[in-house]
Amino acid sequence: MASSSSSLVSLSSTFLQKDTPLKRTTTTKSPISKSPLTPFSVNPIKATVSVSETDTKTATLPMREIPGDYGLPFIGPIKDRQDFFYNEGQTNFFKNRIQKYNSTVFRANMPPGPFISSNPNVIVLLDGKSFPILFDVSKVEKRDLFTGTYMPSTKLTGGYRILSYLDPSEPKHDQLKRFLFFLLKSRSTHFIPEFHSSYTNLFETLEKELAKKGKAAFADSGAQTAFNYLAKAFYGVNPTETKLGTDAPSIITKWTALQLAPILTIGLPRLIEEPLLHTFLLPPALVKKDYQRLYEFFYESSSGPLLDEAVRLGVSKEEAVHNLIFATCFNSYGGMNILFPSMLGFIGEAGVDLHIRLAEEIRSVVKSNGGKVTMAGLEQMPLTKSVVYETLRIEPPVPFQYAKAKRDLVIENHENAFEVKEGEMLFGFQPFAAKDPKIFDRAEEFVGDRFMGEGEKLLKHVLWSNGPETEQTNVGNKQCAGKDFVVLFSRLLVVELFLRYDTFDVEVKKGAAGSAVTFTSFKKATF
């Protein structure tokens, strides 16, 4: 049986599926970036204005009817599902239709279709200009669209619609997002020291394994470390010292699988996988007892000021705990287990020149800050910031975004304008939009210092957080509540790595399940 960590990545393959390898390079040094890190602040409500959406009267590009069709009822969605999962594969499914229609905007059906999704019809957006309409909540609705054209049973989340499924127009969205902002702000002083402690232990473990076996896989130790870190940073509790022990990764894997199964392929024969995963929702009872263990751990760990704040905001303690489970286990833990291997793989394969530049930058800044890693110091590391943003650009942890048009709209790609009718579903596949060659030079390559100096202007096209990197999450939008926290812990991984090592070597295996990273050498710090 696969390990819990590798299983989680496999079971989340639709949220990070890669069918083609990417080139990894770095460019020459650029001037220092001065982009601010403003973590964990609650910002006033503001509308996100999409540059891709215009009124019909002001459209400047030639109008074109959206190409493509949905096929016959029932038959069309099933055909597209077969093409998406088996006949073509995810990447070619989109590439082939771009070529067929000569357009990055077209109509298609997105899985799962019958019998799980009542309406799989979507308008697909695959370029960096049309994609941002998905974030403009004044024009589109995001209600119950987190996983796509279907919604998992609320029995998997205590009977509650979790924050990720709420539209900003719903009062509960405001309350729950403020609750998560409170968590992030109240615990922010623990994020850096707990990361150092947790990942020092991880790298020591990997070094021992490497010395013993000649190689060390990141996945297994990395998964447990990620959960331990989040539990200690958010709640001040070490899960291995509780009744939960080391079971969280395996429990989260099963729980996540039941939510994402309709949009996954896990390598089973088609005749087994189709009826098992893509035709009916798996019963929540399969994970009920395990989820109860998570609930008890989170309830006990968050009791006190945190849950008192939830009640003050109008959220019951029970609903608050279920949202904490989702934010910690699905969003944060799941994201770390996808993002960290990707980043280690990109940096590792980029080579020693990038490694030395990162080591020089990180050690110089830490030394100038009294030997400590600080928030202010992290802002003085432009190359470190850039490699994190470049990873988030190429391999966003959540590549699918959905929204429903609130009214008739006109959207634009680089060549045409298209009419969208009220109620139509919009779908964006971010890995294509974030590698738009009309926006990014060498768009398919990992360029470590892409976002330094003048390149910083391109951050508005980095969209991993359900919004542009240049904008702040707030209660009025659907941008990730932990956006700045994700950027922070990603930078901290790079910092910890190059405080310990001058360079390292990795083996990276790519596939539908994401990146599997194995360390084959570490060169300890020499300067």
Side-chain angles (χ1 to χ4, degrees):
M1 183 175 178
S3 67
S4 61
S5 56
S6 60
S7 298
L8 177 64
V9 177
S10 176
L11 291 167
S12 302
S13 61
T14 293
F15 273 40
L16 185 58
Q17 183 171 359
K18 300 175 280 292
D19 297 334
T20 55
L22 294 165
K23 299 177 182 178
R24 297 164 158 78
T25 62
T26 57
T27 60
T28 56
K29 286 189 178 182
S30 303
I32 291 178
S33 163
K34 297 181 180 178
S35 63
L37 174 67
T38 53
F40 330 126
S41 59
V42 180
N43 298 287
I45 298 176
K46 60 180 180 180
T48 304
V49 181
S50 169
V51 297
S52 65
E53 189 277 330
T54 62
D55 291 329
T56 307
K57 295 179 181 178
T58 60
T60 57
L61 293 172
M63 296 295 299
R64 180 182 176 187
E65 183 177 350
I66 300 174
D69 62 72
Y70 303 122
L72 294 173
F74 191 81
I75 296 175
I78 290 182
K79 180 182 182 302
D80 280 356
R81 186 170 78 199
Q82 300 299 306
D83 289 343
F84 185 87
F85 286 130
Y86 310 108
N87 300 333
E88 298 172 81
Q90 180 174 279
T91 297
N92 286 332
F93 179 88
F94 297 120
K95 283 185 176 179
N96 293 343
R97 282 153 184 77
I98 289 175
Q99 295 173 356
K100 178 180 179 180
Y101 302 125
N102 191 28
S103 176
T104 54
V105 177
F106 54 84
R107 297 183 184 278
N109 298 288
M110 284 301 294
F115 295 95
I116 295 173
S117 171
S118 60
N119 183 6
N121 303 161
V122 301
I123 298 169
V124 181
L125 311 176
L126 297 178
D127 61 89
K129 188 177 181 183
S130 65
F131 194 90
I133 186 62
L134 294 160
F135 312 136
D136 189 346
V137 295
S138 70
K139 310 296 191 302
V140 299
E141 184 182 71
K142 307 283 280 187
R143 184 185 180 97
D144 295 339
L145 297 177
F146 181 64
T147 46
T149 60
Y150 77 102
M151 181 178 171
S153 171
T154 57
K155 291 181 180 179
L156 291 165
T157 50
Y160 295 97
R161 291 173 60 235
I162 297 300
L163 175 62
S164 294
Y165 292 95
L166 301 179
D167 186 76
S169 63
E170 300 178 74
K172 187 69 73 173
H173 180 276
D174 182 294
Q175 296 168 320
L176 288 171
K177 201 163 187 180
R178 289 184 186 277
F179 173 58
L180 293 185
F181 284 151
F182 176 83
L183 168 65
L184 290 163
K185 187 175 182 179
S186 65
R187 296 292 299 178
S188 60
T189 58
H190 299 271
F191 294 161
I192 293 177
E194 290 294 357
F195 194 96
H196 173 71
S197 174
S198 296
Y199 282 82
T200 293
N201 291 336
L202 172 65
F203 285 122
E204 289 175 352
T205 299
L206 293 172
E207 288 174 15
K208 292 176 182 176
E209 185 176 349
L210 181 62
K212 183 178 180 180
K213 300 179 180 179
K215 59 176 60 178
F218 178 78
D220 293 344
S221 299
Q224 187 64 57
T225 299
F227 186 79
N228 291 352
Y229 166 64
L230 292 169
K232 290 187 287 186
F234 285 163
Y235 312 107
V237 176
N238 184 346
T240 62
E241 298 174 356
T242 71
K243 290 184 292 185
L244 187 61
T246 58
D247 293 340
S250 61
I251 292 174
I252 296 169
T253 295
K254 291 186 285 185
W255 174 66
T256 303
L258 265 64
Q259 296 175 70
L260 299 181
I263 51 175
L264 301 180
T265 177
I266 57 176
L268 296 174
R270 185 187 313 199
L271 292 178
I272 297 175
E273 196 169 77
E274 274 291 278
L276 179 65
L277 300 184
H278 305 148
T279 307
F280 302 100
L281 291 174
L282 294 170
L286 292 174
V287 76
K288 183 178 180 180
K289 290 183 179 179
D290 285 329
Y291 184 76
Q292 181 62 28
R293 291 184 64 197
L294 283 181
Y295 180 85
E296 291 170 359
F297 170 79
F298 278 87
Y299 189 92
E300 293 171 3
S301 300
S302 58
S303 293
L306 180 57
L307 293 186
D308 290 344
E309 176 65 12
V311 173
R312 190 190 71 80
L313 289 168
V315 179
S316 71
K317 291 185 178 181
E318 182 180 3
E319 183 173 10
V321 171
H322 289 295
N323 274 273
L324 289 175
I325 294 172
F326 199 91
T328 306
C329 300
F330 194 110
N331 298 137
S332 300
Y333 171 81
M336 291 175 83
N337 277 284
I338 294 171
L339 179 59
F340 279 11
S342 294
M343 189 160 60
L344 291 170
F346 281 126
I347 296 173
E349 293 189 342
V352 68
D353 289 345
L354 177 63
H355 298 177
I356 294 302
R357 290 176 58 194
L358 284 166
E360 289 175 343
E361 174 184 90
I362 290 166
R363 295 173 198 176
S364 174
V365 170
V366 171
K367 182 178 179 180
S368 67
N369 282 271
K372 297 181 179 180
V373 179
T374 64
M375 292 284 192
L378 291 171
E379 282 307 304
Q380 300 165 14
M381 302 177 184
L383 181 58
T384 301
K385 291 191 288 185
S386 182
V387 297
V388 170
Y389 290 139
E390 181 70 337
T391 303
L392 289 165
R393 177 188 75 88
I394 289 184
E395 294 186 353
V398 182
F400 292 176
Q401 274 83 28
Y402 287 83
K404 186 177 292 186
K406 287 183 176 179
R407 58 177 174 81
D408 292 354
L409 303 172
V410 172
I411 60 174
E412 295 180 351
N413 64 6
H414 296 291
E415 296 81 22
N416 296 104
F418 306 88
E419 290 186 357
V420 175
K421 298 299 183 182
E422 179 182 352
E424 289 194 290
M425 185 81 74
L426 301 171
F427 160 77
F429 185 56
Q430 190 173 154
F432 273 49
K435 289 181 280 196
D436 187 334
K438 295 190 176 181
I439 294 175
F440 294 103
D441 183 40
R442 298 153 64 196
E444 296 284 336
E445 299 178 24
F446 178 85
V447 181
D449 51 13
R450 184 186 297 277
F451 297 104
M452 293 176 65
E454 287 297 310
E456 192 176 347
K457 295 177 181 178
L458 292 170
L459 284 174
K460 65 183 178 182
H461 300 294
V462 177
L463 310 169
W464 70 273
S465 63
N466 209 20
E469 188 60 34
T470 50
E471 296 188 7
Q472 289 297 312
T473 180
N474 59 69
V475 295
N477 63 25
K478 283 300 291 180
Q479 201 156 19
C480 174
K483 168 179 175 284
D484 291 323
F485 176 62
V486 172
V487 172
L488 172 65
F489 67 55
S490 299
R491 293 178 187 176
L492 289 174
L493 179 66
V494 182
V495 168
E496 291 296 331
L497 192 65
F498 288 102
L499 286 176
R500 293 181 68 89
Y501 311 112
D502 287 345
T503 186
F504 62 95
D505 292 307
V506 293
E507 292 176 352
V508 182
K509 292 185 179 180
K510 295 283 186 178
S515 298
V517 173
T518 300
F519 290 98
T520 57
S521 74
F522 290 120
K523 182 181 179 182
K524 289 289 190 69
T526 57
F527 64 90

